[in-house]
Amino acid sequence: MSAIVLEAVRSPHTEEPARSLPTGRPRLVLVPTGRDATRAARAARLTRPPVRLTRFGRLVVTLFVATVVALLGVGLAGQLASATGEPRTVTVQSGQTLSGVAARELPGVSTADAVVELQVANGLSSTALHAGQQLVIPGR
């Protein structure tokens, strides 16, 4: 059994080959049924266009990507912060100088720069130290 569908078609007003406008007369179209309909449905499923995102879908995807990027940034910043190390404290012994402590505790930095870093980290206005004083050594 077959079904017949009446479809309205318009005639072209201009003769442009690029646009194929339907004619103004209705035309009959055969609609497949039975096995033909099953084959046509399968073929239609196989030739469907890819899924298109709505405005809301694009918003959700954008927010998801932004969240992932932000979490990766925070994780990377945490890794960099932990790589620098935590500040630690040392106790000044009798006869030690600030430059001696700086040279021993911050070996990769010049002594003058290390002294300045220790003064800033501990709020010292001079290089004078006292035995038993606690010094904060900035992390590297």
Side-chain angles (χ1 to χ4, degrees):
M1 176 175 197
S2 297
I4 300 176
V5 176
L6 186 61
E7 185 178 294
V9 182
R10 298 181 186 194
S11 63
H13 296 288
T14 60
E15 294 184 23
E16 294 179 10
R19 293 183 182 175
S20 62
L21 297 176
T23 62
R25 299 174 34 196
R27 63 185 179 123
L28 295 177
V29 177
L30 290 177
V31 176
T33 59
R35 289 185 178 166
D36 294 334
T38 306
R39 286 187 202 123
R42 286 184 187 149
R45 272 184 261 146
L46 294 176
T47 59
R48 282 188 182 163
V51 177
R52 296 185 63 176
L53 287 177
T54 62
R55 182 179 288 174
F56 179 73
R58 286 190 303 267
L59 175 67
V60 168
V61 169
T62 302
L63 289 176
F64 177 74
V65 169
T67 302
V68 168
V69 168
L71 289 175
L72 287 175
V74 167
L76 182 61
Q79 288 293 328
L80 291 175
S82 67
T84 60
E86 294 291 321
R88 60 188 191 283
T89 59
V90 294
T91 305
V92 176
Q93 301 298 323
S94 178
Q96 284 185 321
T97 62
L98 190 59
S99 60
V101 172
R104 187 184 74 226
E105 298 295 330
L106 301 170
V109 183
S110 69
T111 305
D113 291 338
V115 168
V116 170
E117 284 188 34
L118 288 177
Q119 284 179 320
V120 170
N122 293 287
L124 301 174
S125 58
S126 70
T127 59
L129 296 178
H130 306 293
Q133 183 177 357
Q134 296 284 324
L135 288 179
V136 175
I137 309 297
R140 286 265 161 210

